Amino acid sequence: MHKTGLLGLCVPVWNSVRMASSGMNRRDPLANKVALVTASTDGIGFAIARRLAQDGAHVVVSSRKQQNVDQAVSTLQGEGLSVTGTVCHVGKAEDRERLVATTLDINVKAPALMTKAVVPEMEKRGGGSVVIVASIAAFSPLPGLSPYNVSKTALLGLTKTLAIELAPRNIRVNCLAPGLIKTSFSRMVRKESSASHWNPLKGIHLLGQLWMDKEKEERMKETLQIRRLGEPEDCAGIVSFLCSEDASYITGETVVVGGGTLSRL
């Protein structure tokens, strides 16, 4: 009798997983679903919007500026995807009542109020899924960014709380915590950091420096179990999974996409 060994037995299974995760032979797990993705005209949000649409959902993208919304919609519709767009600035009173432009308000209150706003529509459709985006900083605080760290940690608690409150309405709530991801946001923050009066509330200055500086980037890679920095697409598939029926028994959880960065409180 020929013995294939453990590795031989695992190869077919691994190939199936790889094909599924890459989109090969994948059905439309989000068919007949509507996905509202905030801050989705660039970076991680845009990658998530694209993936959800590719997986069969009708996606509504949103951002602060009409120009950005139009460009994102045009790009995705050009790929044959079902996408529409709307302007929504969570820091403006006319778009999200009682919010002011502070870190805690935007990072914590806005997701809570946005979820509250969409729950009635989800109930009409028989249920739904909410995915909140936090950060690896929720588990491993970044020096000099106390308000940001606290706001992202608060999102983990918000996820747990909403999961309990919304479960009777057939609405699941989970959280994504990205690690060091290459986005234009990081590039923008790095430019702001060169100013003499840089405000740490405006973004992740340290992360922006890391991937824009090759020497620092290489040093950062050495601290990761997966020896590369993340791409927005690394987050998109996880969100699609959490929104699909394949995750129908998952709620109140946080998935870290951080290349092996330490992620326990």
Side-chain angles (χ1 to χ4, degrees), residues 1 5 7 17 23 42 52 54 62 66 76-78 80 101 107 111 126 140 149-150 160 174 202 214 220 225 232 251:
M1 180 177 178
L7 181 60
V17 172
D42 194 11
L52 297 182
Q54 289 173 341
S62 71
Q66 185 67 56
L76 296 177
Q77 287 183 345
N107 285 356
S140 302
N149 298 332
V150 171
K160 293 286 188 182
N174 291 291
K202 290 185 178 179
K214 288 299 179 182
M220 185 61 187
Q225 295 181 34
T251 192

Side-chain angles (χ1 to χ4, degrees), residues 36-199:
L36 172 60
V37 188
T38 60
S40 53
T41 59
D42 194 11
I44 294 174
F46 182 76
I48 290 172
R50 172 182 274 149
R51 178 59 182 266
L52 297 182
Q54 289 173 341
D55 285 353
H58 172 75
V59 175
V60 181
V61 300
S62 71
S63 184
R64 296 175 297 171
K65 298 179 180 179
Q66 185 67 56
Q67 178 182 354
N68 294 344
V69 172
D70 292 343
Q71 181 177 349
V73 170
S74 177
T75 298
L76 296 177
Q77 287 183 345
E79 297 174 7
L81 302 175
S82 179
V83 177
T84 55
T86 184
V87 173
C88 179
H89 189 335
V90 295
K92 288 185 177 180
E94 58 266 32
D95 283 346
R96 293 298 335 148
E97 59 184 1
R98 296 186 303 276
L99 288 182
V100 294
T102 66
T103 299
L104 291 176
D105 282 338
I106 292 175
N107 285 356
V108 183
K109 285 187 179 180
L113 292 176
M114 184 64 73
T115 301
K116 179 180 179 180
V118 300
V119 161
E121 296 303 318
M122 286 186 170
E123 284 191 285
K124 291 177 183 178
R125 297 175 62 88
S129 173
V130 175
V131 180
I132 294 171
V133 179
S135 167
I136 193 68
F139 296 96
S140 302
L142 301 169
L145 295 174
S146 298
Y148 180 85
N149 298 332
V150 171
S151 71
K152 293 303 183 179
T153 302
L155 289 177
L156 308 189
L158 179 64
T159 298
K160 293 286 188 182
T161 300
L162 290 178
I164 294 171
E165 292 181 352
L166 299 181
R169 307 183 190 188
N170 196 31
I171 297 174
R172 297 182 295 105
V173 184
N174 291 291
C175 184
L176 171 74
L180 183 56
I181 308 294
K182 288 187 175 182
T183 65
S184 59
F185 172 74
S186 296
R187 185 183 303 114
M188 176 188 67
V189 170
R190 183 174 184 269
K191 289 179 179 179
E192 288 182 354
S193 71
S194 63
S196 59
H197 299 291
W198 174 67
N199 182 349

